[in-house]
Amino acid sequence: MDKSVIKFNHCDKDIYCFFVPDQCPECGVSFSGKRLEEAPVSIPNPFSNGHKVPCAFLVASTEDNVLRDFDGRSDLHTGITNTNGIVYNYTKTGVQRDHQGWERCICVPLVQPDMFSLMSQWDQYLEKFSSAQMWDPSWQSFNEESHNCYSYSLMFINCVLATQSKRALSKDEFTHSFVLPRIKRASKYMMLCREISQNHFYIVDSPRRNSFEEDEDSKNT
């Protein structure tokens, strides 16, 4: 799963694979001495090692099967990193401080590189927030709907925004603006990896061909 996904164009097809083959899997033409219609490009891997991304919101799958990650059926877990990559996350036993286990997740950076003042206080904010009574299981129990890892993470983000005199983000707003686009990208990437692993290639009509056909149809009507 660490292989890079590559895309190139031939026969009016977008062809995804882990390596550029010697011949086109669609038409069989050898690429030896021939130019591809489109130079191969690497598809960015949407996953990161969360322990190497300071001051970030993380989303990871709880599933062991990597091919099921972010497919809409696996459970997801969220957390916040401190400046040293330790992941603070809320569970049924309270706030955990993980030094490992988040090596493959979706990351949403929360602090710009030039925000030195906020970064210098980040660890203090995170530790104080995580030590609050409301995250003590003996005071308030974990609830999968209303008092969970996501509410913990979002509440911390909103506390940080408050220190900067910025408005709070609703759950729906944060989810649709920052989380869902990244999850959709990860889901598509996982689909590509799954198809390539099973069939060596994933081949679809090139968007340019589709647009050309639509133009031709409009001319003929």
Side-chain angles (χ1 to χ4, degrees):
M1 295 309 301
D2 293 331
K3 296 178 180 178
S4 297
V5 175
I6 297 169
K7 184 191 82 168
F8 66 93
N9 181 269
H10 200 262
C11 301
D12 291 323
K13 302 285 186 180
D14 283 340
I15 302 172
Y16 298 85
C17 50
F18 290 139
F19 61 90
V20 178
D22 293 330
Q23 61 185 39
C24 176
E26 183 71 13
C27 68
V29 170
S30 173
F31 292 146
S32 177
K34 298 180 181 295
R35 293 181 60 185
L36 298 175
E37 288 127 356
E38 185 179 281
V41 295
S42 178
I43 305 299
N45 190 323
F47 300 104
S48 302
N49 183 341
H51 297 291
K52 295 183 178 181
V53 186
C55 307
F57 169 85
L58 308 183
V59 184
S61 172
T62 59
E63 294 288 339
D64 292 331
N65 183 354
V66 295
L67 287 178
R68 282 198 57 201
D69 285 357
F70 305 95
D71 62 358
R73 296 190 298 274
S74 56
D75 292 330
L76 301 176
H77 191 43
T78 66
I80 302 287
T81 55
N82 69 2
T83 58
N84 295 312
I86 298 172
V87 183
Y88 285 61
N89 58 102
Y90 179 61
T91 70
K92 292 180 180 180
T93 58
V95 176
Q96 307 299 310
R97 296 159 178 80
D98 297 338
H99 291 77
Q100 60 184 13
W102 297 74
E103 288 79 13
R104 188 173 181 278
C105 57
I106 291 173
C107 298
V108 181
L110 299 173
V111 179
Q112 299 296 325
D114 60 349
M115 301 175 72
F116 303 111
S117 176
L118 176 57
M119 194 171 296
S120 66
Q121 301 178 77
W122 187 268
D123 291 353
Q124 180 182 346
Y125 286 153
L126 186 54
E127 186 60 43
K128 183 178 180 180
F129 174 81
S130 302
S131 300
Q133 190 177 37
M134 69 182 304
W135 309 118
D136 182 348
S138 63
W139 186 81
Q140 186 170 351
S141 299
F142 182 97
N143 183 287
E144 292 187 358
E145 297 297 327
S146 60
H147 195 67
N148 53 34
C149 62
Y150 197 89
S151 56
Y152 161 83
S153 300
L154 182 57
M155 191 174 293
F156 173 72
I157 291 171
N158 281 327
C159 285
V160 172
L161 289 174
T163 66
Q164 299 177 289
S165 300
K166 296 181 180 179
R167 69 177 183 85
L169 297 171
S170 69
K171 180 179 179 180
D172 286 345
E173 185 177 11
F174 183 74
T175 301
H176 285 86
S177 298
F178 299 100
V179 182
L180 277 184
R182 288 174 169 84
I183 287 182
K184 289 179 179 178
R185 194 177 306 130
S187 179
K188 181 178 180 180
Y189 188 85
M190 292 305 303
M191 181 275 292
L192 289 173
C193 290
R194 186 165 49 247
E195 289 289 336
I196 297 170
S197 296
Q198 293 174 353
N199 306 306
H200 303 295
F201 301 96
Y202 179 66
I203 304 173
V204 295
D205 287 337
S206 172
R208 290 180 299 180
R209 178 184 178 184
N210 291 336
S211 61
F212 174 77
E213 290 176 347
E214 290 173 359
D215 291 342
E216 288 299 310
D217 288 340
S218 62
K219 292 177 182 179
N220 297 327
T221 57

